[in-house]
Amino acid sequence: MGKRGDAERETGRPAAEEPSAEGASARRGGNGRTPLGNYKSDRRTASRSRALVRLLPAVLIMAGVIFDEAAPPRFNASPLYAAAPLIAAPFFSLLGTVATGAVELAAVSLLQWQAGTLGEVDSTTELLTILTCGLLAVLSNRVVSRSGEELATARNIAEAAQRAVLPIPAERIGGFDVAARYEAAQADALIGGDLYAVQETPHGVRLLVGDVRGKGLGAVEAVAVVIGAFREAAEQESSLEMVAQRLERALAREGVRREGLDQFEGFTTALLAEIPPGQSVVRTVNRGHPEPLLLDRDGRVRVLVPAQPALPLGMGDLGAWPDRSDTAPFPSGAILLLFTDGLTEARDRRGVFYDPAARLTGRRFGAPDHLLETLSEEVRVHTGGGPQDDMALLALRRP
């Protein structure tokens, strides 16, 4: 293979003819920068903006001093001095906020002393205005700090809940390399209605990826029910079809006690997979979920389409059909990729959906975590920021 094969191994992409300058320019856009470069550039710009805001109180104090030195006596820079501690309050510590107010009070007092106006009515009013703004800034700093502590506590609780409901799987399970990733569409959210689980059982390594209809606490409750039922059924049931039926019954029991619309329309799309011990195959049961992908080590991508479509879990009242698993070869070096519709329904500005099968064809990935990191970055680039829906990714590689 020579240099061409080395390039494939290093980049994770198939070796192809060298692109022309025109083709490269077209993919980058008129400015010659890749979309990923634009995303990283935006993050650097945001970081620089925050740094500039933190410098603003000092800039305002210096501007006020310069203005007082240059302007006629009847003019003063009180608005600039008043704004400095108020801007510092949400970004500085308590000590930094107090120091900002103290520095500007000292600077204004010194300027008034030099001008011989210290103690006059106008000068005293100016000092009192600056002092009042400084005290308000200290109060604002305390409120912001307390809110930040409460937010941090809530985030810690949410992280603990996420680990309890969606624990990060071990990097190696049953002899397979494993990686998982969850990205919530809502800013700062840690968990939602998407779910994944992987478990080594007496019947082989079994996997689950699903998507609960709805949002909020109701969806999280359903996630906990599905994962709990899966972990128990995966150990006890001899076939993947029986595991699916256990999940169906668990959701039916959950639906009885849930109120409102969820009682009648709650459902969960799910993809169950099983790698039997000692066999180079993967069995799947698809209950209305996006089809998984099998990435061969030569760059070929196979879409594991079920032979017979089935309804999502929790919709047994509409009709009952026996679950039938599908079997596909799972050779050494191949990666099984399971995902939720947050990946396939990610759209760009023109409304074009992200197509993982087309995007991954011809590319090679040495490890599951490399594959998931690549998908996550490409979705951000494709959408111009992040997934529009929650996205759960689970990858398993046969060494």
Side-chain angles (χ1 to χ4, degrees), residues 300-373:
R300 187 163 58 105
V301 174
R302 286 178 284 159
V303 182
L304 303 185
V305 180
Q308 181 177 347
L311 291 174
L313 298 170
M315 300 184 71
D317 292 341
L318 300 181
W321 295 270
D323 285 298
R324 291 187 174 87
S325 64
D326 299 278
T327 303
F330 190 13
S332 298
I335 298 178
L336 176 65
L337 173 63
L338 287 71
F339 49 86
T340 58
D341 58 8
L343 177 66
T344 53
E345 293 184 1
R347 290 177 292 182
D348 62 12
R349 295 178 179 177
R350 298 171 297 172
V352 178
F353 291 102
Y354 181 85
D355 185 351
R359 293 292 190 100
L360 298 176
T361 297
R363 301 167 67 178
R364 299 180 180 183
F365 300 91
D369 56 349
H370 178 211
L371 169 61
L372 300 192
E373 182 180 357

Coordinates of all heavy atoms in Angstrom, one line a residue, residues 300-373:
R300 N -16.0 -0.1 3.9 CA -17.3 -0.4 3.5 C -18.3 -0.2 4.6 O -18.0 -0.5 5.7 CB -17.4 -1.8 2.9 CG -18.8 -2.1 2.3 CD -18.7 -3.3 1.4 NE -18.2 -4.5 2.2 CZ -19.0 -5.5 2.5 NH1 -20.3 -5.5 2.2 NH2 -18.5 -6.5 3.2
V301 N -19.5 0.4 4.3 CA -20.5 0.7 5.4 C -21.7 -0.1 5.0 O -22.2 0.0 3.8 CB -20.8 2.1 5.5 CG1 -22.0 2.4 6.5 CG2 -19.6 2.9 6.0
R302 N -22.2 -0.9 5.9 CA -23.5 -1.7 5.7 C -24.6 -1.2 6.6 O -24.3 -1.0 7.8 CB -23.2 -3.2 5.9 CG -22.4 -3.9 4.8 CD -22.2 -5.3 5.2 NE -21.2 -5.5 6.3 CZ -21.1 -6.5 7.0 NH1 -21.9 -7.5 7.0 NH2 -20.1 -6.6 7.9
V303 N -25.7 -0.9 6.0 CA -26.9 -0.5 6.8 C -27.7 -1.7 7.1 O -28.1 -2.5 6.3 CB -27.8 0.5 6.0 CG1 -28.9 1.0 6.9 CG2 -26.9 1.7 5.5
L304 N -27.9 -2.0 8.4 CA -28.5 -3.2 8.9 C -30.1 -2.9 8.9 O -30.7 -2.6 9.9 CB -28.0 -3.6 10.3 CG -26.5 -3.8 10.4 CD1 -26.2 -4.4 11.8 CD2 -26.0 -4.8 9.3
V305 N -30.7 -3.1 7.7 CA -32.1 -2.9 7.6 C -32.8 -4.1 8.0 O -32.5 -5.2 7.6 CB -32.4 -2.5 6.1 CG1 -33.9 -2.3 5.9 CG2 -31.6 -1.3 5.6
P306 N -33.9 -4.0 8.9 CA -34.6 -5.1 9.3 C -35.4 -5.8 8.2 O -35.9 -5.1 7.3 CB -35.5 -4.6 10.4 CG -35.7 -3.1 10.1 CD -34.4 -2.7 9.5
A307 N -35.5 -7.1 8.2 CA -36.3 -7.8 7.2 C -37.8 -7.5 7.3 O -38.5 -7.4 6.3 CB -36.0 -9.3 7.3
Q308 N -38.2 -7.2 8.5 CA -39.6 -6.9 8.7 C -39.8 -5.7 9.6 O -39.3 -5.8 10.8 CB -40.4 -8.1 9.3 CG -41.8 -7.9 9.5 CD -42.5 -9.2 10.1 OE1 -42.0 -10.2 10.0 NE2 -43.8 -9.0 10.5
P309 N -40.4 -4.6 9.2 CA -40.5 -3.4 10.1 C -41.4 -3.8 11.3 O -42.3 -4.7 11.2 CB -41.2 -2.4 9.2 CG -40.9 -2.9 7.8 CD -40.9 -4.4 7.9
A310 N -41.2 -3.1 12.4 CA -41.9 -3.4 13.7 C -42.2 -2.0 14.3 O -41.6 -1.0 14.1 CB -41.1 -4.3 14.6
L311 N -43.3 -2.1 15.1 CA -43.7 -0.9 15.8 C -42.7 -0.6 17.0 O -42.1 -1.5 17.5 CB -45.1 -1.0 16.4 CG -46.2 -1.1 15.4 CD1 -47.6 -1.4 16.1 CD2 -46.3 0.3 14.6
P312 N -42.6 0.7 17.4 CA -41.8 1.0 18.6 C -42.4 0.3 19.8 O -43.5 -0.1 19.9 CB -41.9 2.5 18.7 CG -42.3 3.0 17.3 CD -43.1 1.9 16.8
L313 N -41.6 0.3 20.9 CA -42.0 -0.3 22.2 C -43.1 0.6 22.7 O -43.0 1.8 22.6 CB -40.8 -0.4 23.1 CG -39.6 -1.3 22.7 CD1 -38.5 -1.1 23.6 CD2 -40.0 -2.7 22.7
G314 N -44.0 0.0 23.4 CA -45.1 0.7 24.1 C -46.3 0.9 23.2 O -47.3 1.6 23.6
M315 N -46.3 0.4 21.9 CA -47.4 0.5 21.0 C -48.1 -0.8 20.7 O -48.7 -1.0 19.7 CB -47.0 1.2 19.7 CG -46.4 2.6 19.9 SD -45.9 3.4 18.4 CE -47.6 3.8 17.7
G316 N -48.0 -1.7 21.7 CA -48.5 -3.1 21.5 C -50.0 -3.1 21.4 O -50.6 -4.0 20.8
D317 N -50.7 -2.1 21.9 CA -52.2 -2.0 21.7 C -52.6 -1.9 20.3 O -53.8 -2.2 19.9 CB -52.7 -0.9 22.6 CG -52.6 -1.1 24.1 OD1 -52.4 -2.3 24.4 OD2 -52.7 -0.2 24.9
L318 N -51.7 -1.3 19.4 CA -52.1 -1.1 18.0 C -52.0 -2.4 17.2 O -52.5 -2.4 16.1 CB -51.3 0.0 17.4 CG -51.4 1.4 18.1 CD1 -50.5 2.4 17.4 CD2 -52.8 1.9 18.1
G319 N -51.3 -3.4 17.7 CA -51.1 -4.6 17.0 C -50.0 -5.4 17.6 O -49.0 -4.8 18.1
A320 N -50.0 -6.7 17.5 CA -49.0 -7.5 18.0 C -48.4 -8.4 16.9 O -49.2 -9.1 16.3 CB -49.6 -8.4 19.2
W321 N -47.1 -8.3 16.7 CA -46.4 -9.2 15.8 C -45.2 -9.8 16.5 O -44.6 -9.1 17.3 CB -45.9 -8.4 14.6 CG -47.0 -7.8 13.7 CD1 -47.6 -8.4 12.7 CD2 -47.6 -6.5 13.9 NE1 -48.6 -7.6 12.1 CE2 -48.6 -6.4 12.9 CE3 -47.4 -5.5 14.7 CZ2 -49.4 -5.3 12.7 CZ3 -48.2 -4.3 14.6 CH2 -49.2 -4.3 13.6
P322 N -44.9 -11.0 16.2 CA -43.7 -11.6 16.9 C -42.5 -11.0 16.5 O -42.3 -10.7 15.3 CB -43.8 -13.1 16.4 CG -44.6 -13.1 15.1 CD -45.6 -12.0 15.3
D323 N -41.6 -10.7 17.4 CA -40.3 -10.1 17.1 C -39.4 -11.1 16.4 O -39.4 -12.3 16.8 CB -39.6 -9.6 18.3 CG -40.2 -8.3 18.9 OD1 -40.2 -7.3 18.1 OD2 -40.7 -8.3 20.0
R324 N -38.7 -10.7 15.4 CA -37.8 -11.6 14.7 C -36.5 -10.9 14.5 O -36.4 -9.8 14.0 CB -38.3 -12.0 13.3 CG -39.5 -12.9 13.3 CD -39.9 -13.4 11.9 NE -41.0 -14.4 12.0 CZ -42.3 -14.1 11.9 NH1 -42.7 -12.8 11.9 NH2 -43.2 -15.0 12.0
S325 N -35.4 -11.5 15.0 CA -34.1 -10.9 14.9 C -33.5 -11.1 13.5 O -33.8 -12.1 12.8 CB -33.2 -11.5 15.9 OG -32.9 -12.9 15.7
D326 N -32.7 -10.2 13.1 CA -31.9 -10.2 11.9 C -30.4 -10.5 12.2 O -29.9 -10.0 13.2 CB -32.0 -8.9 11.1 CG -33.5 -8.7 10.7 OD1 -34.0 -9.2 9.7 OD2 -34.1 -7.9 11.4
T327 N -29.8 -11.3 11.4 CA -28.4 -11.6 11.6 C -27.5 -11.1 10.5 O -27.9 -11.2 9.3 CB -28.2 -13.2 11.7 OG1 -29.1 -13.6 12.8 CG2 -26.8 -13.5 12.1
A328 N -26.4 -10.5 10.8 CA -25.4 -10.0 9.8 C -24.0 -10.4 10.2 O -23.7 -10.5 11.4 CB -25.5 -8.5 9.7
P329 N -23.1 -10.6 9.3 CA -21.7 -10.9 9.6 C -21.1 -9.7 10.4 O -21.3 -8.6 10.0 CB -21.0 -11.1 8.3 CG -22.2 -11.4 7.3 CD -23.3 -10.6 7.8
F330 N -20.3 -10.1 11.4 CA -19.6 -9.0 12.1 C -18.1 -9.5 12.2 O -17.6 -10.0 13.2 CB -20.2 -8.9 13.5 CG -19.7 -7.8 14.3 CD1 -19.0 -6.7 13.8 CD2 -19.9 -7.7 15.7 CE1 -18.5 -5.7 14.5 CE2 -19.5 -6.6 16.5 CZ -18.8 -5.6 15.9
P331 N -17.3 -9.1 11.2 CA -15.9 -9.6 11.1 C -15.0 -8.9 12.0 O -15.3 -7.8 12.6 CB -15.6 -9.4 9.6 CG -16.4 -8.2 9.2 CD -17.7 -8.4 10.0
S332 N -13.8 -9.4 12.2 CA -12.8 -8.7 13.0 C -12.4 -7.4 12.4 O -12.4 -7.2 11.2 CB -11.5 -9.6 13.1 OG -11.8 -10.8 13.7
G333 N -12.2 -6.4 13.3 CA -11.9 -5.0 12.9 C -13.1 -4.2 12.5 O -12.9 -3.0 12.3
A334 N -14.2 -4.8 12.5 CA -15.4 -4.0 12.1 C -16.0 -3.3 13.3 O -15.7 -3.7 14.5 CB -16.5 -4.9 11.5
I335 N -16.7 -2.2 13.1 CA -17.3 -1.4 14.2 C -18.8 -1.3 14.0 O -19.3 -1.0 12.9 CB -16.8 0.1 14.2 CG1 -15.3 0.1 14.5 CG2 -17.5 0.9 15.3 CD1 -14.6 1.5 14.5
L336 N -19.6 -1.7 15.0 CA -21.0 -1.6 15.0 C -21.4 -0.2 15.6 O -21.0 0.1 16.7 CB -21.6 -2.7 15.8 CG -23.2 -2.7 16.0 CD1 -23.8 -2.9 14.6 CD2 -23.6 -3.8 17.0
L337 N -22.1 0.6 14.9 CA -22.5 1.9 15.3 C -24.0 2.0 15.5 O -24.8 1.8 14.5 CB -22.1 3.0 14.3 CG -22.5 4.4 14.5 CD1 -22.0 4.9 15.8 CD2 -22.2 5.3 13.3
L338 N -24.5 2.3 16.7 CA -25.9 2.5 17.0 C -26.1 4.0 17.4 O -25.2 4.5 18.0 CB -26.3 1.6 18.2 CG -26.5 0.1 17.9 CD1 -25.1 -0.6 17.7 CD2 -27.2 -0.6 19.1
F339 N -27.2 4.5 17.0 CA -27.4 6.0 17.2 C -28.9 6.3 17.3 O -29.7 5.5 16.9 CB -26.7 6.8 16.1 CG -27.0 6.3 14.7 CD1 -28.2 6.8 14.1 CD2 -26.2 5.4 14.1 CE1 -28.5 6.4 12.8 CE2 -26.5 5.0 12.8 CZ -27.6 5.5 12.2
T340 N -29.2 7.5 17.8 CA -30.6 7.9 17.8 C -30.8 8.9 16.6 O -29.8 9.3 15.9 CB -31.0 8.6 19.1 OG1 -30.1 9.7 19.4 CG2 -30.9 7.6 20.2
D341 N -32.0 9.4 16.4 CA -32.3 10.2 15.3 C -31.8 11.6 15.4 O -31.9 12.4 14.4 CB -33.8 10.3 15.0 CG -34.6 10.8 16.2 OD1 -34.0 11.3 17.2 OD2 -35.9 10.8 16.1
G342 N -31.2 12.0 16.5 CA -30.5 13.2 16.6 C -29.3 13.3 15.7 O -28.9 14.4 15.3
L343 N -28.8 12.2 15.2 CA -27.7 12.2 14.3 C -28.3 12.3 12.9 O -27.8 13.1 12.1 CB -26.9 10.9 14.4 CG -25.8 10.7 13.4 CD1 -24.7 11.7 13.6 CD2 -25.2 9.3 13.5
T344 N -29.2 11.5 12.5 CA -29.7 11.5 11.1 C -30.6 12.6 10.8 O -30.9 12.9 9.6 CB -30.5 10.2 10.9 OG1 -31.5 10.0 11.9 CG2 -29.5 9.0 10.9
E345 N -31.2 13.3 11.8 CA -32.1 14.4 11.6 C -31.4 15.8 11.8 O -32.0 16.8 11.8 CB -33.3 14.3 12.5 CG -34.2 13.2 12.1 CD -35.5 13.1 12.9 OE1 -35.7 14.0 13.8 OE2 -36.3 12.2 12.7
A346 N -30.1 15.8 12.0 CA -29.3 17.0 12.0 C -29.3 17.7 10.7 O -28.9 17.0 9.7 CB -27.9 16.7 12.5
R347 N -29.7 18.9 10.6 CA -29.9 19.6 9.3 C -29.0 20.8 9.2 O -28.7 21.5 10.2 CB -31.3 20.0 9.1 CG -32.3 18.9 8.8 CD -33.7 19.4 8.7 NE -34.2 19.9 10.0 CZ -35.4 20.3 10.1 NH1 -36.3 20.3 9.1 NH2 -35.8 20.8 11.3
D348 N -28.5 21.1 8.0 CA -27.8 22.3 7.8 C -28.7 23.5 7.5 O -29.9 23.3 7.6 CB -26.7 22.1 6.7 CG -27.3 21.8 5.4 OD1 -28.6 22.0 5.2 OD2 -26.6 21.4 4.5
R349 N -28.2 24.6 7.1 CA -29.0 25.8 6.9 C -29.9 25.7 5.7 O -30.9 26.3 5.6 CB -28.0 27.0 6.7 CG -27.2 27.4 7.9 CD -26.3 28.6 7.6 NE -25.6 28.9 8.8 CZ -24.6 29.9 8.8 NH1 -24.4 30.6 7.7 NH2 -24.0 30.2 9.9
R350 N -29.6 24.8 4.8 CA -30.4 24.5 3.6 C -31.5 23.4 3.9 O -32.3 23.1 3.0 CB -29.6 24.1 2.4 CG -28.6 25.2 2.0 CD -27.6 24.7 0.9 NE -26.8 23.6 1.5 CZ -26.0 22.9 0.8 NH1 -25.9 23.0 -0.5 NH2 -25.3 21.9 1.4
G351 N -31.5 22.8 5.1 CA -32.4 21.8 5.4 C -32.0 20.4 5.0 O -32.8 19.5 5.0
V352 N -30.7 20.2 4.6 CA -30.2 18.9 4.2 C -29.8 18.1 5.5 O -29.1 18.6 6.3 CB -28.9 19.1 3.3 CG1 -28.4 17.7 2.9 CG2 -29.3 19.9 2.1
F353 N -30.3 16.9 5.5 CA -30.0 16.1 6.7 C -28.6 15.5 6.6 O -28.0 15.2 5.5 CB -31.0 14.9 6.8 CG -32.4 15.4 7.1 CD1 -33.4 15.5 6.2 CD2 -32.7 15.7 8.4 CE1 -34.7 15.9 6.5 CE2 -34.0 16.1 8.8 CZ -35.0 16.2 7.8
Y354 N -28.0 15.2 7.8 CA -26.7 14.6 7.9 C -26.9 13.1 7.6 O -27.8 12.4 8.3 CB -26.1 14.8 9.3 CG -24.7 14.1 9.4 CD1 -23.6 14.8 9.0 CD2 -24.6 12.9 10.0 CE1 -22.3 14.2 9.2 CE2 -23.4 12.3 10.1 CZ -22.2 13.0 9.7 OH -21.0 12.4 9.9
D355 N -26.2 12.5 6.7 CA -26.3 11.1 6.3 C -25.1 10.4 6.7 O -24.0 10.4 6.1 CB -26.5 11.0 4.8 CG -26.7 9.6 4.3 OD1 -26.6 8.7 5.2 OD2 -27.0 9.4 3.1
P356 N -25.1 9.7 7.9 CA -23.9 9.0 8.4 C -23.4 7.9 7.5 O -22.2 7.8 7.4 CB -24.3 8.5 9.8 CG -25.8 8.4 9.7 CD -26.3 9.5 8.8
A357 N -24.3 7.2 6.8 CA -23.8 6.1 5.9 C -23.0 6.7 4.8 O -21.9 6.1 4.5 CB -25.0 5.3 5.4
A358 N -23.5 7.7 4.2 CA -22.7 8.3 3.1 C -21.5 9.0 3.5 O -20.4 8.9 2.9 CB -23.6 9.4 2.3
R359 N -21.5 9.7 4.7 CA -20.3 10.4 5.2 C -19.2 9.4 5.6 O -18.0 9.8 5.5 CB -20.7 11.2 6.4 CG -21.7 12.4 6.0 CD -21.0 13.5 5.2 NE -21.8 14.7 5.1 CZ -21.6 15.8 5.8 NH1 -20.6 15.8 6.7 NH2 -22.4 16.8 5.7
L360 N -19.6 8.3 6.1 CA -18.6 7.3 6.7 C -18.1 6.3 5.7 O -17.0 5.7 5.9 CB -19.2 6.6 7.9 CG -19.6 7.4 9.1 CD1 -20.3 6.6 10.1 CD2 -18.4 8.2 9.7
T361 N -18.7 6.2 4.5 CA -18.3 5.3 3.5 C -16.9 5.6 3.0 O -16.6 6.7 2.7 CB -19.3 5.2 2.3 OG1 -20.5 4.8 2.8 CG2 -18.8 4.3 1.2
G362 N -16.0 4.6 3.0 CA -14.7 4.8 2.5 C -13.7 5.3 3.6 O -12.5 5.4 3.2
R363 N -14.1 5.5 4.8 CA -13.2 6.0 5.8 C -12.9 4.9 6.8 O -13.7 3.9 7.0 CB -13.9 7.2 6.5 CG -14.2 8.3 5.5 CD -15.1 9.4 6.1 NE -14.5 10.1 7.2 CZ -15.1 11.1 7.9 NH1 -16.3 11.5 7.5 NH2 -14.4 11.7 8.8
R364 N -11.8 5.0 7.5 CA -11.4 4.0 8.5 C -11.2 4.6 9.8 O -10.7 5.7 9.9 CB -10.1 3.3 8.0 CG -10.2 2.6 6.7 CD -8.9 2.0 6.3 NE -9.0 1.3 5.0 CZ -8.0 0.6 4.5 NH1 -6.8 0.6 5.1 NH2 -8.1 0.0 3.3
F365 N -11.6 3.9 10.8 CA -11.5 4.3 12.2 C -10.9 3.2 13.1 O -11.5 2.1 13.1 CB -12.9 4.8 12.8 CG -13.5 5.9 12.0 CD1 -14.4 5.6 10.9 CD2 -13.2 7.2 12.3 CE1 -14.9 6.6 10.2 CE2 -13.8 8.2 11.6 CZ -14.7 7.9 10.5
G366 N -9.8 3.5 13.7 CA -9.1 2.5 14.5 C -9.8 2.2 15.8 O -9.5 1.1 16.4
A367 N -10.6 3.1 16.4 CA -11.2 2.9 17.7 C -12.6 3.6 17.7 O -12.8 4.5 17.0 CB -10.3 3.6 18.8
P368 N -13.5 3.0 18.5 CA -14.8 3.5 18.6 C -14.9 5.0 19.0 O -15.7 5.7 18.5 CB -15.5 2.6 19.5 CG -14.8 1.3 19.5 CD -13.3 1.7 19.3
D369 N -14.1 5.3 20.0 CA -14.1 6.7 20.5 C -13.7 7.7 19.4 O -14.2 8.8 19.4 CB -13.3 6.9 21.8 CG -11.8 6.5 21.6 OD1 -11.5 5.9 20.5 OD2 -11.0 6.7 22.5
H370 N -12.8 7.3 18.6 CA -12.4 8.2 17.4 C -13.6 8.4 16.5 O -13.8 9.5 16.0 CB -11.2 7.6 16.7 CG -10.8 8.4 15.5 ND1 -10.2 7.8 14.4 CD2 -10.8 9.7 15.2 CE1 -9.9 8.7 13.5 NE2 -10.3 9.9 14.0
L371 N -14.3 7.3 16.2 CA -15.5 7.4 15.4 C -16.5 8.4 16.0 O -17.1 9.2 15.3 CB -16.1 6.0 15.2 CG -17.5 6.0 14.5 CD1 -17.4 6.5 13.1 CD2 -18.0 4.5 14.5
L372 N -16.8 8.2 17.3 CA -17.9 9.0 17.9 C -17.4 10.5 18.0 O -18.3 11.4 17.8 CB -18.2 8.5 19.3 CG -18.7 7.1 19.3 CD1 -19.3 6.8 20.7 CD2 -19.8 6.8 18.3
E373 N -16.2 10.7 18.2 CA -15.7 12.1 18.3 C -15.8 12.7 16.9 O -16.2 13.9 16.8 CB -14.2 12.1 18.8 CG -13.7 13.5 18.9 CD -12.2 13.5 19.4 OE1 -11.7 12.4 19.7 OE2 -11.6 14.6 19.4

